[in-house]
């Protein structure tokens, strides 16, 4: 009898006495012939492209909410997943990112770290590369196959201060492309599902991780969209511009949801200065903020001493994703409370007549709805957003 061996494209591990059936998708088969001349189907080896694991035991009435987070294998993202699991609010958490092995290790680590959960939570990995708009669209298709709703979207993944200018697959400056454009397209592709999953009493939530670095000088900080690709590249200038884009995206998303009466909230977060992999590029290059150190080997111990832990950095995201605070919208949050995102104006105390004499005065760009809208419209063009991609706006 011919045997068919198939390598899984997705799989599950059942824990805590509860779970669900995994899906095994057939690999490409090739026919082998033995001495008996009988054909034998044998599958080519295929690495799994997604997987899920259920942690915790049975619960009488588990929550049926779904959260999705980008960049969840380490740092703030992984700490956020842990907080979501512990909250008991979600039955499914989608962890989206590039590295399957890192996500598998992360999920195994959470299973070992949280052995006494009483409510089952499915942790599912789906591949996503924010540096590829094609990958973002493929992710949306994969997401639709496994989830019929989406209650919370956390835009966490990012890169910071690349020493040299680099481009995404689509030819955009890498920090702007990954931090802003990839997340912009992803959110728009998921907006219809977010709008359908929320209600006035319990709206869906979009949480964007921005940064106080949005105040680093850049052309966008002056309301000028002419250098979004950072052709005049500086690592921190490009990073600050991408974080300002994250912030203005959250504000404009809130404005559009309010205008359409959609049950979706949108907020931005400054998580603080956190000790994560995000700092991997800052110890090298002429732009490193640590070049003042007499010995470069001091950089890592210094970071560990002065920076927040990932758990501390995740607290505000977890708060907005799990508590009534998340029903507020259009805010910039830091340390668990809304705060001002106003760009610093050193001339704010000058009399009006004196201000008129200044050759240049900083604009409060993060509070300028005209710039929000211009950035949104430009981003639609850059990612190739189509009318059929999102119908709720």
């Amino acid at each position: 009898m011919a045997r068919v061996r198939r390598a899984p494209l997705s799989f599950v591990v059942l824990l805590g006495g509860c779970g669900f059936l995994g899906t095994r998708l057939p690999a490409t088969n090739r026919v082998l012939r033995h001495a008996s001349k009988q054909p034998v189907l044998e599958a080519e080896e295929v690495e799994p492209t997604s997987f899920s694991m259920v942690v915790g035991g049975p619960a009488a009435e588990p929550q049926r909410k779904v959260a999705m987070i980008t960049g969840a294998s380490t740092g703030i993202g992984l700490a956020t997943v842990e907080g979501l699991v512990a909250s008991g609010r979600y039955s499914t958490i989608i962890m989206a990112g590039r590295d399957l092995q890192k996500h598998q290790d992360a999920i195994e680590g959470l299973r070992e770290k949280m052995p006494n959960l009483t409510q089952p939570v499915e942790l599912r990995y789906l591949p996503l590369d924010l540096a590829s708009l094609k990958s973002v669209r493929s992710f949306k298709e994969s997401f639709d196959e496994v989830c019929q709703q989406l209650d919370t979207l956390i835009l966490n993944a990012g890169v910071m201060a690349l020493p040299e200018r680099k481009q995404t697959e689509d030819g955009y400056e890498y920090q702007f492309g990954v931090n802003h454009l990839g997340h912009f397209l992803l959110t728009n592709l998921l907006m219809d599902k977010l709008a359908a999953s929320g209600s006035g009493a319990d709206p869906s939530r979009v949480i964007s991780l921005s940064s106080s670095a949005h105040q680093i000088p850049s052309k966008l900080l002056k309301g000028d969209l002419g250098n979004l690709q950072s052709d005049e590249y500086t690592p921190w200038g490009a990073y600050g511009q991408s974080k300002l884009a994250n912030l203005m995206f959250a504000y404009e998303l809130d404005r559009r949801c309010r205008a359409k009466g959609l049950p979706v909230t949108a907020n931005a977060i400054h998580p603080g200065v956190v000790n994560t992999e995000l700092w991997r590029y800052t110890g090298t290059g002429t732009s490193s903020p640590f070049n003042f150190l007499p010995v470069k080997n001091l950089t890592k111990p210094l970071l560990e001493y002065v920076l927040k832990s990932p758990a501390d950095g995740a607290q505000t995201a977890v708060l907005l994703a799990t508590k009534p605070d998340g029903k507020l919208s259009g805010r910039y949050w830091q340390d668990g409370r809304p705060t001002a995102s106003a760009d610093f104006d050193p001339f704010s105390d000058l009399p009006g007549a004196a201000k008129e004499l200044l050759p240049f005065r900083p604009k409060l760009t993060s509070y300028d709805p005209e710039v929000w809208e211009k950035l949104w419209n430009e981003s639609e063009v850059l990612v190739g957003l189509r009318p059929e991609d999102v119908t709720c706006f």
Side-chain angles (χ1 to χ4, degrees):
M1 181 180 294
R3 297 176 58 193
V4 178
R5 297 188 301 173
R6 294 185 174 93
L9 292 183
S10 64
F11 62 89
V12 296
V13 179
L14 306 180
L15 302 171
C18 66
F20 54 91
L21 294 177
T23 301
R24 287 181 177 269
L25 301 178
T28 302
N29 294 318
R30 53 191 172 93
V31 178
L32 301 181
R33 292 190 178 273
H34 291 244
S36 63
K37 305 300 183 181
Q38 295 297 319
V40 177
L41 290 176
E42 182 173 333
E44 296 176 356
E45 290 299 317
V46 178
E47 289 296 319
T49 59
S50 69
F51 63 88
S52 67
M53 177 180 293
V54 177
V55 297
E61 295 183 1
Q63 292 278 351
R64 295 298 177 189
K65 292 191 177 295
V66 177
M68 199 275 277
I69 178 170
T70 62
S73 63
T74 61
I76 295 175
L78 182 56
T80 301
V81 172
E82 183 176 348
L84 300 184
V85 171
S87 74
R89 179 177 170 84
Y90 297 95
S91 60
T92 301
I93 300 171
I94 305 295
M95 302 167 66
R98 293 182 301 175
D99 193 317
L100 181 146
Q101 186 60 55
K102 286 177 69 173
H103 283 81
Q104 188 170 354
D105 292 344
I107 291 176
E108 282 285 358
L110 286 176
R111 179 186 67 82
E112 296 172 0
K113 188 175 182 180
M114 310 176 77
N116 299 319
L117 290 172
T118 58
Q119 178 168 304
V121 181
E122 176 195 357
L123 302 179
R124 178 179 288 272
Y125 164 76
L126 290 177
L128 170 66
D129 182 358
L130 290 165
S132 165
L133 299 178
K134 179 180 178 181
S135 174
V136 175
R137 289 188 176 276
S138 295
F139 172 87
K140 199 269 183 178
E141 294 177 1
S142 300
F143 182 85
D144 285 346
E145 291 176 0
V146 297
C147 289
Q148 301 306 309
Q149 71 184 75
L150 179 60
D151 302 278
T152 297
L153 174 60
I154 303 176
L155 308 175
N156 167 78
V159 291
M160 182 174 76
L162 275 67
E164 306 295 335
R165 189 180 185 279
K166 179 180 175 182
Q167 292 185 339
T168 66
E169 178 180 288
D170 304 281
Y172 301 127
E173 190 278 316
Y174 201 83
Q175 295 186 80
F176 184 74
V178 170
N179 296 352
H180 172 62
L181 291 178
H183 280 138
F184 176 87
L185 177 60
L186 177 67
T187 305
N188 274 280
L189 294 178
L190 296 173
M191 269 306 303
D192 288 342
K193 194 156 288 189
L194 284 161
S197 302
S199 67
D202 190 9
S204 296
R205 307 169 187 203
V206 179
I207 302 166
S208 300
L209 268 73
S210 179
S211 168
S212 62
H214 77 270
Q215 300 188 61
I216 293 175
S218 67
K219 287 191 175 181
L220 184 59
L221 191 64
K222 302 174 186 177
D224 181 356
L225 275 64
N227 192 38
L228 294 179
Q229 302 309 320
S230 296
D231 296 315
E232 303 168 10
Y233 185 79
T234 62
W236 287 100
Y239 177 69
Q241 184 163 253
S242 73
K243 293 291 101 178
L244 178 57
N246 291 156
L247 176 59
M248 293 195 292
F249 166 68
Y251 284 161
E252 177 65 4
L253 178 60
D254 166 70
R255 189 187 68 79
R256 291 181 179 232
C257 288
R258 289 178 188 270
K260 292 292 185 179
L262 302 179
V264 179
T265 65
N267 288 285
I269 292 174
H270 169 50
V273 187
V274 184
N275 188 10
T276 70
E277 287 185 350
L278 201 62
W279 291 90
R280 61 188 176 274
Y281 297 112
T282 58
T284 61
T286 58
S287 66
S288 171
F290 302 107
N291 280 339
F292 67 88
L293 291 174
V295 181
K296 283 195 174 182
N297 289 338
L298 290 178
T299 299
K300 188 171 186 232
L302 176 68
L303 291 179
E304 292 175 349
Y305 180 74
V306 301
L307 304 187
K308 280 185 176 182
S309 69
D312 289 337
Q315 285 182 353
T316 303
V318 173
L319 175 77
L320 295 181
T322 62
K323 301 297 183 182
D325 304 69
K327 297 179 183 180
L328 295 175
S329 188
R331 314 292 177 88
Y332 175 65
W333 294 73
Q334 181 176 353
D335 295 329
R337 60 184 181 272
T339 188
S341 67
D343 315 310
F344 176 63
D345 182 356
F347 308 112
S348 59
D349 294 329
L350 290 178
K355 292 178 183 178
E356 294 299 324
L357 299 175
L358 295 172
F360 168 76
R361 185 182 171 198
K363 292 184 64 175
L364 300 181
T365 307
S366 67
Y367 285 143
D368 188 341
E370 291 186 6
V371 182
W372 306 346
E373 185 175 18
K374 288 179 181 177
L375 177 62
W376 185 287
N377 293 340
E378 180 67 13
S379 298
E380 284 186 346
V381 174
L382 294 176
V383 304
L385 196 67
R386 304 184 293 257
E388 61 270 24
D389 288 333
V390 53
T391 63
C392 61
F393 286 144

